[in-house]
């Protein structure tokens, strides 16, 4: 498909300012939460990305009126007339996103039944939904898996439960929150995920009338309430997008100020960025400090010149180093002096994209062993989940096909850092999670064009 190609003339340092808006991985869940309210919800700073379109489509199919508000990025969702949708209509969204699974609880509460199409999302391993189904069953849902999708009902209503996740899954924790808030009685969730996006979702649910307590040691307690109302919320900024641009600054020896990025959500990333030799300046309190109306702060990232240092890292659940920060950062690590190690412990197959980097001149070897950190769930199970990166390598241009969202952005960074002209195919996939990325590239002085 020729219209899905970006021609990248690499070798120019990216320089300038760009802005990130609400986090993709919160905004989509906040939209689902709106279904639980009895009055309209208002979400601000919503990025124009494909995942938002998919969730809007799903909400509209179920009778939620989704309209743009007066402010740029404002979304109004009116769930007063929630209704059933036909499986055919819902199936139009099959394979387009992982979010539909989160509609289970809200639809069961609103309609007494739900149909969830086959899921999509990035192809980064098997991505099972067993924790979701197990939790829903413990709330009292009847789950019937068919080849076309999943039918759910709750003949005896949904009741609070004592649950423990085998792994602190983000999606399963959200599933439990979105179901428990209106289930009868108390739910206790152990081994919950505590990512900042989850905490922000809890803030939204509290605004809606929910009673949720976050205890120490990953325990969340939810006291069910009979009804919830609409919310108004400005989401946390997208810390994955912010880190992606930071890695781009480092890999291209440039300087990027990411407006909207927030230190508190990114401390682990910032420590690593600095350990590699990148420089950063926090400007996210500029407005509060200087009282400049309309000014916006963020975080400025730059390559100070000289050599970057190799590091040993492993991805982990929060507060560890996010799996979604891994791919863009590995591109920057190809420019560091020495041997870096990246042990991926969240997904078993998220290093496939390194093959393309090797064709561009990188030296990355992937291993089945748990290297450089604590043994993880994937050790000795034949998953190539540790990478050893030897650098620095001079990257040269290549024709690339984007495999998934984050790896796709990593490929794009590699093409921008490489000497010569690369063709990046499948680039529209990046629109799933990066708003206006071509306009942002242009603002940063990148030489890119469509054929
Ligand atoms: N898992 C199971 N069973 C389940 C659910 C999860 O085994 O029922 C496993 C997964 O296979 C994986 C691990 O648990 O190995 C963690 O998965 P998690 O459920 O935490 O991931 P998710 O909710 O599907 C979200 C983000 C991902 C992000 C992860 C981890 C969204 C829409 N997606 O996925 O973001 O990588 O959490 O932080 O919020 C992305 O934005 O590109 C992306 C993939």
């Amino acid at each position: 498909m020729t219209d899905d190609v970006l021609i990248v003339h690499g070798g120019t340092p990216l320089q300038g300012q760009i802005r990130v808006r609400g986090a993709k991985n919160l905004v989509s869940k906040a939209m689902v939460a709106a279904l639980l309210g009895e009055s309209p919800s208002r979400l601000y700073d919503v990025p124009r990305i494909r995942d938002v379109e998919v969730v809007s489509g799903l909400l509209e199919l179920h009778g939620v009126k989704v309209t743009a508000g007066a402010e740029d990025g404002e979304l109004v969702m009116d769930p007063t007339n929630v209704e059933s949708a036909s499986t055919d209509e819902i199936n139009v969204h099959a394979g387009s996103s992982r979010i539909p699974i989160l509609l289970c609880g809200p639809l069961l509460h609103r309609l007494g039944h739900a149909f969830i199409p086959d899921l999509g999302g990035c192809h980064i391993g098997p991505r099972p939904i067993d924790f979701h189904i197990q939790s829903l069953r413990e709330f009292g849902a009847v789950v019937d898996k068919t080849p076309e999708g999943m039918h759910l009902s709750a003949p005896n209503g949904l009741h609070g439960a004592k649950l423990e996740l085998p792994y602190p899954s983000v999606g399963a924790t959200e599933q439990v929150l979105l179901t428990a808030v209106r289930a009868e009685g108390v739910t206790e969730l152990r081994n919950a995920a505590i990512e900042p996006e989850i905490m922000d979702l809890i803030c939204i649910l509290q605004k809606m009338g929910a009673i949720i307590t976050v205890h120490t040691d990953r325990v969340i307690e939810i006291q069910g309430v009979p009804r919830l109302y609409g919310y108004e919320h400005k989401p946390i900024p997208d810390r994955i997008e912010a880190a992606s641009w930071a890695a781009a600054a480092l890999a291209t020896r440039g300087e990027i100020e990411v407006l909207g990025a927030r230190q508190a959500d990114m401390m682990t990333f910032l420590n690593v960025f600095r350990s590699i030799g990148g420089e950063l300046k926090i400007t996210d309190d500029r407005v509060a400090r200087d009282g400049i109306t309309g000014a916006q702060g963020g975080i400025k990232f730059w390559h100070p010149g000289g050599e970057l240092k190799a590091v040993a890292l492993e991805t982990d659940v929060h507060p560890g180093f996010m799996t979604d920060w891994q791919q863009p950062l590995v591109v920057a690590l190809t420019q560091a002096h020495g041997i870096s190690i990246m042990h991926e412990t969240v997904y078993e197959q998220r290093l496939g994209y390194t093959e393309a980097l090797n064709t561009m001149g990188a030296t990355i070897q992937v291993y089945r062993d748990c290297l450089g950190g604590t043994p993880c769930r994937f050790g000795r199970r034949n998953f190539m989940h540790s990478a050893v990166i030897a650098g620095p390598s001079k990257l040269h241009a290549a024709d690339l096909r984007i495999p998934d969202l984050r790896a796709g952005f990593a490929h794009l960074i590699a093409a921008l850092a490489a000497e010569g002209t690369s063709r990046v195919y499948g680039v529209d996939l990046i629109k799933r999670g990066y708003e206006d990325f071509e306009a942002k590239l242009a603002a940063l002085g990148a030489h890119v064009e469509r054929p």
Side-chain angles (χ1 to χ4, degrees), residues 8-11 395-398 415 418-422:
V8 180
H9 307 287
L395 299 181
H396 50 76
E419 287 296 332
T421 299
S422 299

Side-chain angles (χ1 to χ4, degrees), residues 24-25 29 127-131 169-171 324 346-347 406:
K24 158 184 161 290
N25 291 347
K29 309 357 173 357
R127 303 193 78 179
I129 51 168
D130 49 336
F131 305 165
S169 148
V170 169
D324 305 281
V346 180
Y347 291 109
R406 305 302 169 191

Side-chain angles (χ1 to χ4, degrees), residues 24-26 28-29 51 97-99 102 121-122 124-133 167-174 193 195 197 239-240 316-318 322-324 327 345-348 350 377-378 404-406 432-433:
K24 158 184 161 290
N25 291 347
L26 176 274
S28 44
K29 309 357 173 357
D51 270 20
S97 159
R98 312 237 348 130
I99 308 298
L102 296 179
C122 287
I124 47 179
R127 303 193 78 179
I129 51 168
D130 49 336
F131 305 165
H132 294 253
I133 295 176
Y167 182 80
S169 148
V170 169
T173 300
E174 291 159 344
E195 268 61 10
E197 291 78 10
R239 63 196 177 114
I240 304 178
D316 207 346
V317 292
H318 189 75
M322 284 186 94
T323 168
D324 305 281
Q327 307 80 343
T345 78
V346 180
Y347 291 109
E348 55 273 62
R350 221 178 182 185
R377 300 174 291 155
F378 310 135
D404 66 70
L405 181 61
R406 305 302 169 191
R432 262 198 60 214

Side-chain angles (χ1 to χ4, degrees), residues 157-186:
L158 295 171
H159 302 274
K162 256 184 179 295
L163 305 165
E164 176 156 6
L165 295 177
Y167 182 80
S169 148
V170 169
T173 300
E174 291 159 344
Q175 180 77 264
V176 170
L177 286 168
L178 291 164
T179 307
V181 279
R182 277 199 49 195
E184 198 194 306
V186 176

